Amino acid sequence: MTLRISLRDGEKVVINGAVIRASGRTDLAIESKVTILRGREIMSPAEASTPARALYFHTMMAYLDPDGIARHHQAIVEALGTVTRLATCEAGRAAVASFATRAAGADYYRALGECRALMRLEHDALAAVAEEAA
């Protein structure tokens, strides 16, 4: 099955570890199995500033760097422990369980989707705490 993606001018994509930047509007048709992340899915180490964001970062690295999987797996386990302790609402616990299932099956790309859900929940919880403090 062919994966088709469109990139805006200047948008980055990582394909099998290679960073590619579009020069002009670009359409790609990927016809083999690859590890691929679009620019908006890529997180820098500096952006991993909260527990859920750290979980996302380490999961992203496991997806992009299979040669370093042991190191990334350990970081995922540590970050997941922190996120699990903080996930007190039903939606958070469900997202943690779904993430853990995906990660245990080495389905890191789909686990990143669960991390995005956890990051939204974390953001909302932090915003609520800040609002209460004000």
Side-chain angles (χ1 to χ4, degrees):
M1 185 170 166
T2 301
L3 170 66
R4 298 183 189 283
I5 61 171
S6 295
L7 302 172
R8 297 181 305 268
D9 183 36
E11 186 176 8
K12 291 181 186 178
V13 64
V14 176
I15 301 175
N16 285 349
V19 178
I20 299 166
R21 183 186 309 267
S23 177
R25 181 152 181 82
T26 304
D27 293 322
L28 299 173
I30 312 229
E31 298 183 356
S32 62
K33 184 175 176 167
V34 297
T35 57
I36 185 168
L37 287 179
R38 294 175 60 138
R40 61 182 166 263
E41 298 172 317
I42 300 168
M43 180 183 287
S44 72
E47 294 173 299
S49 57
T50 67
R53 293 179 72 75
L55 182 62
Y56 183 95
F57 178 77
H58 295 302
T59 303
M60 179 192 74
M61 292 305 298
Y63 176 63
L64 293 174
D65 179 26
D67 292 339
I69 196 68
R71 181 180 67 242
H72 302 309
H73 183 262
Q74 181 59 37
I76 289 169
V77 168
E78 291 171 10
L80 182 58
T82 302
V83 170
T84 300
R85 286 189 299 280
L86 297 173
T88 57
C89 69
E90 184 61 34
R93 287 190 297 272
V96 165
S98 184
F99 170 85
T101 300
R102 301 267 189 210
D107 188 357
Y108 297 116
Y109 186 79
R110 286 191 177 84
L112 289 172
E114 301 301 335
C115 283
R116 284 189 286 277
L118 286 165
M119 289 187 310
R120 284 189 298 274
L121 290 168
E122 179 181 65
H123 178 268
D124 293 347
L126 290 172
V129 167
E131 188 174 298
E132 288 175 9

mmCIF file of all heavy atoms in Angstrom, residues 106-130:
data_model
loop_
_atom_site.group_PDB
_atom_site.id
_atom_site.type_symbol
_atom_site.label_atom_id
_atom_site.label_comp_id
_atom_site.label_asym_id
_atom_site.label_seq_id
_atom_site.Cartn_x
_atom_site.Cartn_y
_atom_site.Cartn_z
ATOM 1 N N ALA A 106 5.714 -2.884 20.539
ATOM 2 C CA ALA A 106 6.665 -2.149 19.689
ATOM 3 C C ALA A 106 5.963 -1.394 18.558
ATOM 4 O O ALA A 106 6.548 -1.134 17.520
ATOM 5 C CB ALA A 106 7.750 -3.063 19.144
ATOM 6 N N ASP A 107 4.712 -1.003 18.774
ATOM 7 C CA ASP A 107 3.978 -0.195 17.811
ATOM 8 C C ASP A 107 4.145 1.269 18.223
ATOM 9 O O ASP A 107 3.213 1.932 18.668
ATOM 10 C CB ASP A 107 2.499 -0.606 17.808
ATOM 11 C CG ASP A 107 1.704 0.058 16.703
ATOM 12 O OD1 ASP A 107 2.281 0.886 15.956
ATOM 13 O OD2 ASP A 107 0.506 -0.244 16.588
ATOM 14 N N TYR A 108 5.366 1.762 18.068
ATOM 15 C CA TYR A 108 5.721 3.071 18.589
ATOM 16 C C TYR A 108 5.002 4.209 17.873
ATOM 17 O O TYR A 108 4.673 5.215 18.496
ATOM 18 C CB TYR A 108 7.233 3.280 18.544
ATOM 19 C CG TYR A 108 7.960 2.299 19.426
ATOM 20 C CD1 TYR A 108 8.839 1.367 18.886
ATOM 21 C CD2 TYR A 108 7.750 2.280 20.800
ATOM 22 C CE1 TYR A 108 9.481 0.448 19.696
ATOM 23 C CE2 TYR A 108 8.393 1.367 21.619
ATOM 24 C CZ TYR A 108 9.255 0.461 21.054
ATOM 25 O OH TYR A 108 9.902 -0.442 21.856
ATOM 26 N N TYR A 109 4.741 4.065 16.581
ATOM 27 C CA TYR A 109 4.061 5.144 15.866
ATOM 28 C C TYR A 109 2.668 5.374 16.451
ATOM 29 O O TYR A 109 2.274 6.503 16.726
ATOM 30 C CB TYR A 109 3.965 4.863 14.365
ATOM 31 C CG TYR A 109 3.390 6.036 13.617
ATOM 32 C CD1 TYR A 109 4.179 7.139 13.322
ATOM 33 C CD2 TYR A 109 2.050 6.061 13.252
ATOM 34 C CE1 TYR A 109 3.651 8.239 12.674
ATOM 35 C CE2 TYR A 109 1.512 7.156 12.592
ATOM 36 C CZ TYR A 109 2.318 8.230 12.304
ATOM 37 O OH TYR A 109 1.790 9.329 11.665
ATOM 38 N N ARG A 110 1.920 4.323 16.652
ATOM 39 C CA ARG A 110 0.579 4.477 17.235
ATOM 40 C C ARG A 110 0.652 4.870 18.715
ATOM 41 O O ARG A 110 -0.230 5.561 19.219
ATOM 42 C CB ARG A 110 -0.231 3.211 17.028
ATOM 43 C CG ARG A 110 -0.681 3.080 15.575
ATOM 44 C CD ARG A 110 -1.693 1.983 15.372
ATOM 45 N NE ARG A 110 -2.143 1.942 14.010
ATOM 46 C CZ ARG A 110 -1.521 1.326 13.016
ATOM 47 N NH1 ARG A 110 -0.386 0.696 13.239
ATOM 48 N NH2 ARG A 110 -2.020 1.326 11.792
ATOM 49 N N ALA A 111 1.701 4.450 19.401
ATOM 50 C CA ALA A 111 1.891 4.867 20.791
ATOM 51 C C ALA A 111 2.079 6.387 20.871
ATOM 52 O O ALA A 111 1.660 7.007 21.845
ATOM 53 C CB ALA A 111 3.088 4.140 21.407
ATOM 54 N N LEU A 112 2.683 6.965 19.838
ATOM 55 C CA LEU A 112 2.838 8.422 19.819
ATOM 56 C C LEU A 112 1.476 9.119 19.825
ATOM 57 O O LEU A 112 1.318 10.172 20.443
ATOM 58 C CB LEU A 112 3.653 8.863 18.590
ATOM 59 C CG LEU A 112 5.132 8.508 18.619
ATOM 60 C CD1 LEU A 112 5.775 8.812 17.271
ATOM 61 C CD2 LEU A 112 5.849 9.239 19.742
ATOM 62 N N GLY A 113 0.492 8.540 19.171
ATOM 63 C CA GLY A 113 -0.855 9.100 19.201
ATOM 64 C C GLY A 113 -1.431 9.106 20.599
ATOM 65 O O GLY A 113 -2.089 10.072 21.023
ATOM 66 N N GLU A 114 -1.192 8.036 21.340
ATOM 67 C CA GLU A 114 -1.644 7.985 22.732
ATOM 68 C C GLU A 114 -0.913 9.033 23.569
ATOM 69 O O GLU A 114 -1.503 9.636 24.471
ATOM 70 C CB GLU A 114 -1.443 6.591 23.322
ATOM 71 C CG GLU A 114 -2.166 5.492 22.584
ATOM 72 C CD GLU A 114 -3.676 5.659 22.518
ATOM 73 O OE1 GLU A 114 -4.255 6.343 23.396
ATOM 74 O OE2 GLU A 114 -4.276 5.114 21.575
ATOM 75 N N CYS A 115 0.351 9.246 23.275
ATOM 76 C CA CYS A 115 1.107 10.282 23.990
ATOM 77 C C CYS A 115 0.531 11.665 23.711
ATOM 78 O O CYS A 115 0.471 12.502 24.614
ATOM 79 C CB CYS A 115 2.577 10.266 23.573
ATOM 80 S SG CYS A 115 3.544 8.955 24.313
ATOM 81 N N ARG A 116 0.105 11.908 22.462
ATOM 82 C CA ARG A 116 -0.497 13.203 22.151
ATOM 83 C C ARG A 116 -1.769 13.403 22.988
ATOM 84 O O ARG A 116 -2.026 14.510 23.480
ATOM 85 C CB ARG A 116 -0.769 13.327 20.656
ATOM 86 C CG ARG A 116 0.502 13.605 19.854
ATOM 87 C CD ARG A 116 0.208 13.953 18.411
ATOM 88 N NE ARG A 116 -0.190 12.806 17.626
ATOM 89 C CZ ARG A 116 0.639 11.932 17.062
ATOM 90 N NH1 ARG A 116 1.943 12.084 17.201
ATOM 91 N NH2 ARG A 116 0.176 10.926 16.357
ATOM 92 N N ALA A 117 -2.560 12.346 23.162
ATOM 93 C CA ALA A 117 -3.747 12.436 24.022
ATOM 94 C C ALA A 117 -3.337 12.746 25.461
ATOM 95 O O ALA A 117 -3.958 13.582 26.127
ATOM 96 C CB ALA A 117 -4.552 11.137 23.954
ATOM 97 N N LEU A 118 -2.290 12.089 25.938
ATOM 98 C CA LEU A 118 -1.800 12.343 27.296
ATOM 99 C C LEU A 118 -1.279 13.770 27.438
ATOM 100 O O LEU A 118 -1.489 14.412 28.469
ATOM 101 C CB LEU A 118 -0.706 11.337 27.665
ATOM 102 C CG LEU A 118 -1.207 9.931 27.968
ATOM 103 C CD1 LEU A 118 -0.062 8.932 27.952
ATOM 104 C CD2 LEU A 118 -1.929 9.906 29.307
ATOM 105 N N MET A 119 -0.610 14.276 26.411
ATOM 106 C CA MET A 119 -0.109 15.657 26.467
ATOM 107 C C MET A 119 -1.266 16.658 26.530
ATOM 108 O O MET A 119 -1.178 17.658 27.243
ATOM 109 C CB MET A 119 0.815 15.955 25.283
ATOM 110 C CG MET A 119 2.145 15.236 25.375
ATOM 111 S SD MET A 119 3.388 15.686 24.119
ATOM 112 C CE MET A 119 2.522 15.559 22.581
ATOM 113 N N ARG A 120 -2.360 16.392 25.798
ATOM 114 C CA ARG A 120 -3.532 17.279 25.857
ATOM 115 C C ARG A 120 -4.142 17.255 27.258
ATOM 116 O O ARG A 120 -4.484 18.311 27.816
ATOM 117 C CB ARG A 120 -4.567 16.879 24.813
ATOM 118 C CG ARG A 120 -4.212 17.296 23.396
ATOM 119 C CD ARG A 120 -5.358 17.070 22.434
ATOM 120 N NE ARG A 120 -5.752 15.678 22.322
ATOM 121 C CZ ARG A 120 -5.184 14.785 21.498
ATOM 122 N NH1 ARG A 120 -4.180 15.140 20.725
ATOM 123 N NH2 ARG A 120 -5.613 13.539 21.462
ATOM 124 N N LEU A 121 -4.281 16.056 27.831
ATOM 125 C CA LEU A 121 -4.828 15.943 29.183
ATOM 126 C C LEU A 121 -3.928 16.654 30.196
ATOM 127 O O LEU A 121 -4.420 17.351 31.097
ATOM 128 C CB LEU A 121 -4.996 14.474 29.572
ATOM 129 C CG LEU A 121 -6.097 13.717 28.842
ATOM 130 C CD1 LEU A 121 -5.966 12.217 29.083
ATOM 131 C CD2 LEU A 121 -7.464 14.224 29.278
ATOM 132 N N GLU A 122 -2.628 16.474 30.045
ATOM 133 C CA GLU A 122 -1.672 17.115 30.943
ATOM 134 C C GLU A 122 -1.775 18.635 30.823
ATOM 135 O O GLU A 122 -1.800 19.349 31.828
ATOM 136 C CB GLU A 122 -0.263 16.633 30.593
ATOM 137 C CG GLU A 122 0.840 17.227 31.430
ATOM 138 C CD GLU A 122 2.183 16.704 30.986
ATOM 139 O OE1 GLU A 122 2.597 17.001 29.838
ATOM 140 O OE2 GLU A 122 2.828 15.992 31.767
ATOM 141 N N HIS A 123 -1.843 19.126 29.591
ATOM 142 C CA HIS A 123 -1.962 20.575 29.360
ATOM 143 C C HIS A 123 -3.213 21.121 30.027
ATOM 144 O O HIS A 123 -3.177 22.158 30.701
ATOM 145 C CB HIS A 123 -1.984 20.857 27.856
ATOM 146 C CG HIS A 123 -2.158 22.301 27.535
ATOM 147 N ND1 HIS A 123 -3.401 22.866 27.324
ATOM 148 C CD2 HIS A 123 -1.254 23.304 27.407
ATOM 149 C CE1 HIS A 123 -3.253 24.148 27.075
ATOM 150 N NE2 HIS A 123 -1.953 24.447 27.123
ATOM 151 N N ASP A 124 -4.336 20.416 29.838
ATOM 152 C CA ASP A 124 -5.601 20.866 30.435
ATOM 153 C C ASP A 124 -5.518 20.853 31.954
ATOM 154 O O ASP A 124 -6.018 21.778 32.612
ATOM 155 C CB ASP A 124 -6.758 19.981 29.954
ATOM 156 C CG ASP A 124 -7.044 20.149 28.469
ATOM 157 O OD1 ASP A 124 -6.526 21.114 27.847
ATOM 158 O OD2 ASP A 124 -7.779 19.304 27.918
ATOM 159 N N ALA A 125 -4.905 19.827 32.530
ATOM 160 C CA ALA A 125 -4.775 19.738 33.983
ATOM 161 C C ALA A 125 -3.890 20.855 34.528
ATOM 162 O O ALA A 125 -4.224 21.477 35.544
ATOM 163 C CB ALA A 125 -4.209 18.381 34.397
ATOM 164 N N LEU A 126 -2.785 21.135 33.859
ATOM 165 C CA LEU A 126 -1.904 22.221 34.299
ATOM 166 C C LEU A 126 -2.603 23.578 34.177
ATOM 167 O O LEU A 126 -2.431 24.442 35.042
ATOM 168 C CB LEU A 126 -0.600 22.200 33.496
ATOM 169 C CG LEU A 126 0.337 21.030 33.797
ATOM 170 C CD1 LEU A 126 1.493 21.009 32.805
ATOM 171 C CD2 LEU A 126 0.836 21.079 35.232
ATOM 172 N N ALA A 127 -3.388 23.752 33.107
ATOM 173 C CA ALA A 127 -4.128 25.006 32.935
ATOM 174 C C ALA A 127 -5.159 25.169 34.043
ATOM 175 O O ALA A 127 -5.345 26.275 34.577
ATOM 176 C CB ALA A 127 -4.788 25.044 31.565
ATOM 177 N N ALA A 128 -5.824 24.084 34.436
ATOM 178 C CA ALA A 128 -6.821 24.144 35.515
ATOM 179 C C ALA A 128 -6.175 24.504 36.845
ATOM 180 O O ALA A 128 -6.703 25.298 37.609
ATOM 181 C CB ALA A 128 -7.562 22.820 35.617
ATOM 182 N N VAL A 129 -4.997 23.915 37.102
ATOM 183 C CA VAL A 129 -4.278 24.224 38.345
ATOM 184 C C VAL A 129 -3.845 25.685 38.353
ATOM 185 O O VAL A 129 -3.991 26.389 39.372
ATOM 186 C CB VAL A 129 -3.061 23.282 38.519
ATOM 187 C CG1 VAL A 129 -2.127 23.777 39.610
ATOM 188 C CG2 VAL A 129 -3.530 21.872 38.794
ATOM 189 N N ALA A 130 -3.354 26.182 37.229
ATOM 190 C CA ALA A 130 -2.942 27.584 37.153
ATOM 191 C C ALA A 130 -4.127 28.513 37.326
ATOM 192 O O ALA A 130 -4.016 29.556 37.995
ATOM 193 C CB ALA A 130 -2.265 27.843 35.802
#
